[in-house]
Amino acid sequence: MTNSSIPNPKPLLLINRVPDYDVSFFKHLSSYFTLLDPTAEVGSDREKYKDLLRTHASGVRACYGMGMSPLMKDTLDCLPALECVAGTAVGTDHIDLTECRRRGITVTNNGVAFSDDVADCAVGLLLDVLRKISAADRFVRVGSWPVAREYPLASSLTRKRVGIVGLGSIGLRIAKRLVPFGCTIAYTSRSHNPSVPYPFYESVHKLALESDILILCCTFTDQTRHMINTDVMTALGNKGVLVNVGRGGLIDEAEMVRFLVEGRLGGAGLDVFEDEPSVPKELFGLDNVVLSPHQAVLTPESIQASKDAALANLLAFFANKPLLNPVRLD
C-alpha cells in the first residue's frame, strides 16, 4: 500500500477480536486508520464492550474482523452507522449475515489468501490416512517394529475416485493437486461450473456413491449443516475416506464416530470439529483417523496474505472503489 492510499483524515476503524489474538499488525493498520479496539480497553466484559461501541457508534463505518471473532446482532445493534465488515477469515459463519443483509452492511473475506495452504493440508491429510503415515510413525516410535516385524498394508492414492464438496478456490486447488496422482475428480457445489472438466453431481449423496474419497471444503450454512449424514456415509462405504477442511458442522460428527468405530467407514482426515476444541475421544485410538487442530489455514504466509486482503478491502471501501472480496449475503 502507498501513502496515496491513506484516507485523510484517518477514519475510525473498529477492531473486532477476541482477547488472545495477535495485535502486531495494528501498528501497520494505524498508518491508515484511527483504531478503536474495545477488547484492549475492557477485555472480555461484553456489556462494557457494547457500552464503548455505543459511545463511538456514529463514527464507526467500518470494522476489521479478526479471524473467527463473533459479530452477531447484539454487537451490530450498537453500530447503526456500520457499512462494511472486512474479515481476515475465509468463512463467515461467525458473522450474522442475515442481519448484515437487512442493514445493508457489506461483508468481505480474505478471498484466496488461505486457498493454497488449505488445499495442501487437505491432500496431506488424505495421504496420511491412506498411507498410514502418522500411525506408522507411532508404530516405530513406541518400539513395535522389532516386535511385530510387519506393519499393516496401506492404501494407494493413485487412481482413487475423489469427490470434492465445494469447488471454489480451495476445491479447484485440491483437484489440481490430485490430478497428477492419477485421481479421477468429480464434484458437487452450489451450481455447475461449465468451465471445469470434472463431472458434476447434483447432490453429495450421488457424489458419494461414485467416490472412494470425499473432501469437504464448502461453506458452512444452515443448508450444509450435517450434509454428511448416515445416508452419505453409507453410500461412501466401509473403504471410503472423509477429509474435512471446511467446518466441523458439515458432518454429523456423532454418526461419523459411530461409523468409524464400527468399521463402516474406511478412515478420516479431520482438521475441523463440531465443538472445537473438544474432539470425540473415541477417535484418539483409531489409526485410520488423522486429527489436526484447525490449522489448515494457518501458515505465516497465509496469515500475512489475509491481513493484506482485509486492509485492501478497507482502503477500497473508504475510497469508494469496488471491494476485492465481497461475500454473497443471499
Side-chain angles (χ1 to χ4, degrees):
M1 309 292 174
T2 64
N3 289 339
S4 62
S5 302
I6 303 174
N8 188 24
K10 294 179 184 179
L12 186 64
L13 177 66
L14 170 65
I15 305 295
N16 186 58
R17 67 179 178 95
V18 295
D20 59 344
Y21 274 11
D22 175 30
V23 298
S24 60
F25 191 61
F26 289 4
K27 183 177 180 180
H28 186 56
L29 281 177
S30 65
S31 301
Y32 302 89
F33 309 105
T34 299
L35 304 186
L36 173 63
D37 181 10
T39 300
E41 299 188 37
V42 302
S44 57
D45 188 319
R46 290 301 299 170
E47 290 310 311
K48 289 183 179 179
Y49 187 102
K50 289 188 281 189
D51 286 343
L52 186 59
L53 292 185
R54 294 185 188 101
T55 301
H56 296 275
S58 63
V60 177
R61 296 178 57 212
C63 171
Y64 178 85
M66 295 187 69
M68 300 299 292
S69 302
L71 186 61
M72 296 296 151
K73 184 178 184 300
D74 64 329
T75 303
L76 295 171
D77 284 341
C78 305
L79 299 166
L82 187 65
E83 300 174 45
C84 178
V85 176
T88 63
V90 64
T92 54
D93 47 295
H94 56 292
I95 301 173
D96 190 336
L97 295 182
T98 300
E99 191 65 18
C100 287
R101 181 173 66 246
R102 189 183 73 79
R103 295 168 181 261
I105 299 171
T106 301
V107 178
T108 70
N109 64 10
N110 67 17
V112 300
F114 291 156
S115 298
D116 283 311
D117 289 309
V118 176
D120 289 347
C121 186
V123 174
L125 286 169
L126 176 56
L127 276 167
D128 198 340
V129 173
L130 290 175
R131 298 308 307 266
K132 304 182 187 294
I133 297 169
S134 292
D137 177 81
R138 292 191 294 271
F139 179 80
V140 173
R141 287 177 187 271
V142 300
S144 297
W145 191 11
V147 178
R149 295 294 182 181
E150 294 185 2
Y151 187 75
L153 291 177
S155 180
S156 173
L157 175 58
T158 303
R159 292 185 292 278
K160 287 291 191 296
R161 300 173 302 164
V162 179
I164 297 176
V165 182
L167 200 71
S169 63
I170 295 172
L172 284 168
R173 284 164 170 79
I174 292 171
K176 182 179 179 180
R177 284 155 171 75
L178 290 176
V179 167
F181 282 95
C183 294
T184 300
I185 307 296
Y187 75 100
T188 188
S189 205
R190 281 193 292 194
S191 58
H192 174 243
N193 183 350
S195 67
V196 300
Y198 316 122
F200 170 75
Y201 288 83
E202 293 181 351
S203 73
V204 67
H205 183 264
K206 291 180 179 178
L207 180 64
L209 287 170
E210 301 298 326
S211 299
D212 303 307
I213 297 153
L214 286 183
I215 300 180
L216 314 181
C217 49
C218 63
T219 304
F220 179 63
T221 66
D222 289 340
Q223 291 70 42
T224 60
R225 181 179 183 273
H226 285 188
M227 68 189 307
I228 307 301
N229 54 24
T230 300
D231 291 342
V232 171
M233 285 183 274
T234 300
L236 191 57
N238 62 6
K239 292 185 179 180
V241 172
L242 279 176
V243 173
N244 191 1
V245 291
R247 287 288 186 269
L250 296 171
I251 301 176
D252 184 336
E253 191 168 86
E255 276 296 276
M256 178 192 66
V257 169
R258 186 169 69 86
F259 267 66
L260 287 164
V261 170
E262 294 177 359
R264 298 171 61 190
L265 192 63
L270 307 170
D271 182 58
V272 288
F273 305 88
E274 279 206 87
D275 186 26
E276 297 175 0
S278 297
V279 177
K281 292 180 173 55
E282 297 92 334
L283 300 178
F284 294 167
L286 300 179
D287 280 345
N288 59 339
V289 176
V290 179
L291 307 173
S292 172
H294 203 149
Q295 294 291 297
V297 301
L298 298 179
T299 65
E301 295 85 358
S302 68
I303 291 171
Q304 186 59 52
S306 72
K307 293 173 181 177
D308 291 342
L311 175 57
N313 278 304
L314 287 167
L315 292 175
F317 167 74
F318 283 109
N320 293 315
K321 295 180 179 179
L323 301 177
L324 280 69
N325 315 113
V327 173
R328 288 175 52 177
L329 301 182
D330 51 7

